Amino acid sequence: MATAKAPDRLYPFRIIRQGLQIVLTRPLQLFGLAGIAVFVATGLDMLAARLIASSDLANILGFVIQASGSAMAAVAVTRVVLAQADGRELGVAEAYRAAGPAALRVFGASLLVSIGVLIGFVLFVVPGLWLATLWIVAVPAAIVEDLPPLSAVRRSSQLTRGNRWPALVLVILSVAVGTGLGLLLALLISIPVGWFAGPEAVETATGYTHFGQVLESVGVAVQVVLSSTFAALTWHRLREIWRGAGHRAAASAA
């Protein structure tokens, strides 16, 4: 008698290992793609702060500029990682192809996820973690499947169905790895600078210096590369599982 095949599963440690392998085998490409968008956004933010008299307006505009830069970086990194997962190579131009519309979708999806998760964390943490789990692949869904923000979070909830506990573990691992490596890199840069130029070279009583803003941008680029890589690979695997389940259901009905 034939035995039923166990359902496909998402393996968090496998996703983390695969993501780190991709990042380590092509660091110049991935960090270069992220750096282009993030550092251009930082430069525009600095320019806006100089040209706009109102600090409140400059801060709001700066937030939008920086978030847009991170969204552009996420689009480029996601496309390269997914191409690599499919055994293809992608150049800079292809990675940024139609990045503007995709970045708008990413901006909206990221904002929606951030607001939902923040509200969830205010409500005793657990709801925030659960929403982060449900919406773990909302950003790659918005990029690759051309979905608007609300449809992207719904698609993420659909794809994670049946694999939500592994997805929760993956959320925790992704945050831990991304935060840990980002802090390590920041320390490796800021400590020597603090020794030779003093802490005021990075931050003063009124906020970050220009060098401090650039240093912060390095951390943002690292976070974008890692989070986008892990999310892209998770979406790729969940889509495989979803399609496999669909094929099995169609075969059973035939």
Side-chain angles (χ1 to χ4, degrees):
M1 186 176 72
T3 58
K5 183 181 177 181
D8 290 326
R9 303 293 295 172
L10 179 70
Y11 296 100
F13 288 97
R14 188 177 298 174
I15 295 290
I16 297 295
R17 183 173 65 251
Q18 185 183 1
L20 291 176
Q21 286 174 346
I22 290 176
V23 171
L24 292 175
T25 54
R26 48 186 62 232
L28 292 179
Q29 183 184 23
L30 292 176
F31 288 108
L33 287 169
I36 290 171
V38 171
F39 285 113
V40 167
T42 298
L44 292 174
D45 184 11
M46 292 179 181
L47 182 62
R50 279 182 172 274
L51 296 178
I52 298 176
S54 170
S55 59
D56 291 338
L57 181 58
N59 288 336
I60 293 171
L61 183 59
F63 167 78
V64 173
I65 291 171
Q66 293 284 8
S68 300
S70 296
M72 292 281 286
V75 171
V77 170
T78 297
R79 285 178 173 160
V80 168
V81 170
L82 289 175
Q84 179 73 10
D86 289 331
R88 297 182 291 110
E89 294 292 331
L90 210 62
V92 174
E94 290 177 287
Y96 278 115
R97 179 179 53 81
L104 286 175
R105 295 193 299 271
V106 170
F107 183 94
S110 299
L111 187 62
L112 189 60
V113 170
S114 298
I115 292 173
V117 170
L118 179 61
I119 293 173
F121 269 100
V122 171
L123 300 174
F124 306 111
V125 179
V126 173
L129 274 175
W130 196 242
L131 286 178
T133 300
L134 295 180
W135 298 342
I136 187 173
V137 292
V139 167
I143 295 170
V144 186
E145 301 183 50
D146 296 332
L147 297 175
L150 281 173
S151 298
V153 296
R154 291 194 195 101
R155 175 62 168 160
S156 182
S157 297
Q158 180 189 55
L159 288 173
T160 55
R161 193 175 301 144
N163 277 285
R164 284 174 183 161
W165 288 112
L168 173 60
V169 173
L170 188 52
V171 166
I172 296 170
L173 288 175
S174 299
V175 171
V177 172
T179 302
L181 291 179
L183 287 174
L184 178 61
L185 182 61
L187 287 173
L188 290 175
I189 296 175
S190 61
I191 288 177
V193 171
W195 282 341
F196 291 104
E200 64 276 2
V202 177
E203 188 174 7
T204 65
T206 57
Y208 282 118
T209 62
H210 289 329
F211 177 78
Q213 285 181 280
V214 172
L215 181 61
E216 185 181 33
S217 297
V218 172
V220 170
V222 171
Q223 290 279 2
V224 169
V225 168
L226 292 173
S227 62
S228 298
T229 298
F230 296 145
L233 293 174
T234 303
W235 174 86
H236 188 270
R237 178 59 185 145
L238 288 173
R239 189 184 59 165
E240 286 181 339
I241 294 171
W242 185 261
R243 286 179 171 176
H247 291 158
R248 286 193 296 272
S252 299

